[in-house]
Amino acid sequence: PSAAARAAAHDRLAGLATPAGAWGRLGELAVWLSACQDRCPPRVPAAVRAVVFAGDHGVTVRGVSAYPAAVTPAMVRTIVGGGAGISVLCAVHDVALRVLDISVDDELTGVPEAVRAHKIRRGSGSIDVEDACSADEVRRALAAGAAVADEEIAAGADLLVSGDLGIGNTTPAAALIGAVLGLDADLVTGRGTGVDDIALAQKASVVRAAVDRVAPRVGDPVDLLAAAGGADFAAAAGFLVRAAERGVPVLLDGVIAVAQALVADRIAPGVAAWCAAGHRSTEPAQSLALQALGLVPLLDLGMRLGEGTGAVAAVPLVRSAAAILGRMALLADVLA
Amino acid sequence: PSAAARAAAHDRLAGLATPAGAWGRLGELAVWLSACQDRCPPRVPAAVRAVVFAGDHGVTVRGVSAYPAAVTPAMVRTIVGGGAGISVLCAVHDVALRVLDISVDDELTGVPEAVRAHKIRRGSGSIDVEDACSADEVRRALAAGAAVADEEIAAGADLLVSGDLGIGNTTPAAALIGAVLGLDADLVTGRGTGVDDIALAQKASVVRAAVDRVAPRVGDPVDLLAAAGGADFAAAAGFLVRAAERGVPVLLDGVIAVAQALVADRIAPGVAAWCAAGHRSTEPAQSLALQALGLVPLLDLGMRLGEGTGAVAAVPLVRSAAAILGRMALLADVLA
């Protein structure tokens, strides 16, 4: 992001027809957007585009989720049909939406070919005992995510959202965050879809086994994605890296997106500067990773749905922030 | 609000294609809206209408604000011209906006006649030593606010916002909240437009003097508005009372709106059930009054601008909530 545009935006914010600092975090958000766009005042994001990266996770057989893996392909179909939570929010807030089957454990027969165009594999290994996928699959998934970012930017995207879909995916997210930040499994393991105390303890033991197994490989973020993430995580990470390279800002969702951003920022240091946090989820690992990335979420509504919903719910705040800085009168003019 | 619609909305929320509780506060907001509309699922609020009630306050001469009273008429003109913060947010989020001069200490020559149509008086008494206005003026202002609510509802409003405008108005807001809740002036006095420590101490002494002076009259909310509020506060309170009588929900803004809601709920017990809190402001009295009203704010962004901005910034969350409950697939259908 541009230091010059940031400074200009900061000055303009201070000159608006409001008491100094009265816009709070909305003012900071406007300054960040100016810096990303290298333009003061910033344009109001009009072409916001969300991509949901779907994949299954082998750990589901360990009982880490309240739902069976069959829900993942059913929810891919629900997004295609327009009835998912993310579908509804995108429609209300004029956000373009696509879902991609990166590693769903299903053939997804009959869904549009475009949804499966970037499929890397079916499912992932159970990360407590084996790698999620191969290093070659990670490289292909990173490239796929980058290609998708390029496609979205070619379609005009001025703000991107990466969403997730996949039963069991809070477990690899917790493992990645625990491994990268060196945190105990109990600190990073949350209830995900809403598991009970017994399943939560089981989930923490799976996260602990995964973190212990992959710890020696944490210095290589690409290898780490193979070890503890999966092809869907790699594709989303590739998407975030490419968005930052292209200078397009990203609004992050919950624990999955933030884990992916944490790894993406290790692959290409500086990615986090192009990210804002849409919301605080109820997953403890998300807050810990946001803190490590220096990001403070815009919304804190107790949401834990995933799919990108917490980010898309925050899109109107980004538009509010941009409009404030661009369209408000200056105090000097009001008092003239 | 309708208990039957609330129960139906709660059931529908539990059946959506998400883990139970995954929508967090957005789910609760959708249930509240259903109850207000007596309809499940709720309609997405399309005709959101904001009214800014402007007035000056005699306490401004005590140095309670970082700005002179001349800013009030200048900001009325800025709203009329479309350059105020509330103007910009309303334009971005498709909210109709009007500003009314209820008790601005200026003739506002040249502004459209409609802006001055409900003017009660010029300015208010300094509430540390005298009443803000007369009981008769309060009654006229309450009736004006009710008439304005009727006009907005006649124009189709399905969600209302009451905004405030007036240098010095966080002082009567703090005094009203302190008086109604029996709280010490130091607990309810905030920095308003951003006063320094010396002015903050002076402001607290003004609030303390006002609370002490009006305490014997706290049992009569109409008299209390005359003693410590003012005509602008009374008009907004009348607006809130009438909205509740007509069954139209209201999104509250910061400390001014919440002080007005607190008094309105004393005038007509039950008003608060028709209100949701748009945001948490930095004014301490706002949080205390919200707690007393049983309301939890949607946004917490450190905003302290007033004008209704914190409420209008939250309007997209209400639309999100309504759309989720109305348009999402049910889990039973997804898994069928």
Side-chain angles (χ1 to χ4, degrees):
Chain A
S2 158
R6 179 182 290 114
H10 195 271
D11 286 352
R12 185 176 175 86
L13 180 65
L16 295 180
T18 73
W23 283 114
R25 303 269 331 283
L26 278 190
E28 297 168 17
L29 187 64
V31 170
W32 167 78
L33 196 66
S34 267
C36 289
Q37 293 183 2
D38 192 13
R39 188 175 185 280
C40 177
R43 287 180 302 274
V44 176
V48 186
R49 301 183 67 92
V51 181
V52 175
F53 297 90
D56 275 304
H57 294 274
V59 290
T60 304
V61 300
R62 309 284 189 231
V64 295
S65 175
Y67 293 86
V71 168
T72 306
M75 286 307 302
V76 171
R77 293 178 191 278
T78 304
I79 293 181
V80 170
I86 188 67
S87 316
V88 171
L89 290 187
C90 284
V92 170
H93 299 303
D94 193 24
V95 173
L97 173 64
R98 63 197 282 211
V99 57
L100 296 174
D101 166 13
I102 301 297
S103 49
V104 177
D105 190 13
D106 190 283
E107 291 302 318
L108 281 166
T109 309
V111 306
E113 179 54 32
V115 172
R116 294 171 293 167
H118 295 284
K119 184 152 188 158
I120 303 294
R121 58 176 277 167
R122 275 186 63 149
S124 305
S126 190
I127 59 170
D128 52 339
V129 296
E130 63 188 332
D131 281 6
C133 64
S134 72
D136 179 62
E137 286 166 334
V138 165
R139 281 186 287 271
R140 285 166 47 213
L142 285 165
V148 170
D150 283 334
E151 290 165 14
E152 296 300 318
I153 295 165
D158 51 14
L159 179 65
L160 291 167
V161 169
S162 68
D164 70 275
L165 179 61
I167 296 301
N169 66 6
T170 61
T171 297
L176 287 170
I177 291 168
V180 169
L181 300 183
L183 297 170
D184 186 81
D186 286 337
L187 289 175
V188 293
T189 305
R191 291 181 188 273
T193 43
V195 297
D196 62 19
D197 287 351
I198 292 170
L200 181 65
Q202 165 66 8
K203 184 176 176 181
S205 76
V206 170
V207 171
R208 178 168 290 110
V211 170
D212 288 349
R213 194 179 64 76
V214 308
R217 297 154 71 182
V218 78
D220 179 346
V222 173
D223 188 40
L224 185 65
L225 284 168
D232 51 342
F233 278 65
F239 179 84
L240 296 174
V241 169
R242 191 75 182 124
E245 285 172 356
R246 296 288 303 273
V248 177
V250 176
L251 204 48
L252 298 177
D253 187 36
V255 69
I256 319 296
V258 173
Q260 293 158 349
L262 188 68
V263 177
D265 194 66
R266 297 290 169 116
I267 293 173
V271 162
W274 297 92
C275 298
H279 83 131
R280 187 182 300 284
S281 90
T282 57
E283 289 292 298
Q286 195 231 15
S287 287
L288 294 164
L290 284 175
Q291 194 171 12
L293 291 168
L295 300 175
V296 181
L298 292 166
L299 298 174
D300 187 358
L301 297 169
M303 289 171 63
R304 53 179 171 79
L305 179 59
E307 301 177 4
T309 50
V312 172
V315 163
L317 292 174
V318 182
R319 291 183 174 137
S320 290
I324 287 161
L325 201 56
R327 300 178 188 169
M328 268 190 73
L330 301 178
L331 190 61
D333 296 333
V334 168
L335 300 181
Chain B
S2 158
R6 179 182 289 113
H10 195 271
D11 286 352
R12 185 176 174 88
L13 180 66
L16 295 180
T18 72
W23 284 114
R25 303 268 333 281
L26 278 191
E28 297 168 17
L29 187 63
V31 170
W32 168 77
L33 196 64
S34 269
C36 290
Q37 293 183 1
D38 192 13
R39 187 175 186 279
C40 176
R43 287 180 302 273
V44 177
V48 186
R49 302 183 68 92
V51 180
V52 175
F53 297 89
D56 274 305
H57 294 275
V59 289
T60 303
V61 299
R62 310 285 189 231
V64 296
S65 175
Y67 294 86
V71 168
T72 305
M75 287 306 303
V76 170
R77 293 177 193 278
T78 305
I79 294 182
V80 170
I86 188 67
S87 316
V88 171
L89 290 187
C90 284
V92 170
H93 299 303
D94 193 24
V95 174
L97 172 64
R98 63 196 283 209
V99 57
L100 296 175
D101 166 14
I102 301 297
S103 48
V104 177
D105 190 13
D106 191 282
E107 291 303 317
L108 281 165
T109 310
V111 306
E113 178 53 32
V115 171
R116 294 171 292 166
H118 296 284
K119 186 153 187 157
I120 303 294
R121 58 177 275 166
R122 275 185 65 149
S124 304
S126 191
I127 59 169
D128 51 340
V129 296
E130 63 188 332
D131 281 6
C133 64
S134 71
D136 179 63
E137 286 166 334
V138 165
R139 280 187 287 272
R140 284 166 48 212
L142 284 165
V148 170
D150 282 334
E151 289 165 15
E152 296 300 318
I153 295 165
D158 50 14
L159 179 66
L160 291 167
V161 169
S162 68
D164 69 276
L165 179 62
I167 296 301
N169 66 6
T170 60
T171 297
L176 286 170
I177 291 169
V180 169
L181 300 182
L183 296 171
D184 186 80
D186 285 337
L187 288 176
V188 293
T189 305
R191 291 181 189 272
T193 45
V195 298
D196 62 19
D197 286 352
I198 292 171
L200 180 66
Q202 165 67 7
K203 184 176 175 181
S205 76
V206 170
V207 170
R208 177 168 290 109
V211 170
D212 289 349
R213 194 180 64 77
V214 309
R217 298 153 70 182
V218 77
D220 179 345
V222 173
D223 188 41
L224 184 65
L225 284 167
D232 51 343
F233 278 65
F239 179 84
L240 296 174
V241 168
R242 190 75 182 123
E245 285 172 355
R246 295 288 304 271
V248 176
V250 176
L251 204 49
L252 298 177
D253 187 37
V255 68
I256 319 297
V258 173
Q260 293 158 348
L262 189 67
V263 176
D265 194 66
R266 298 287 169 118
I267 294 173
V271 162
W274 297 92
C275 298
H279 83 131
R280 187 182 302 284
S281 90
T282 57
E283 289 293 299
Q286 194 230 17
S287 287
L288 294 164
L290 285 174
Q291 194 171 14
L293 290 169
L295 299 175
V296 181
L298 292 166
L299 297 175
D300 187 359
L301 295 169
M303 291 170 62
R304 52 180 172 80
L305 179 58
E307 302 176 4
T309 52
V312 172
V315 163
L317 292 174
V318 182
R319 291 183 173 137
S320 290
I324 287 162
L325 201 55
R327 300 176 188 170
M328 268 190 73
L330 301 177
L331 190 61
D333 296 333
V334 168
L335 299 180

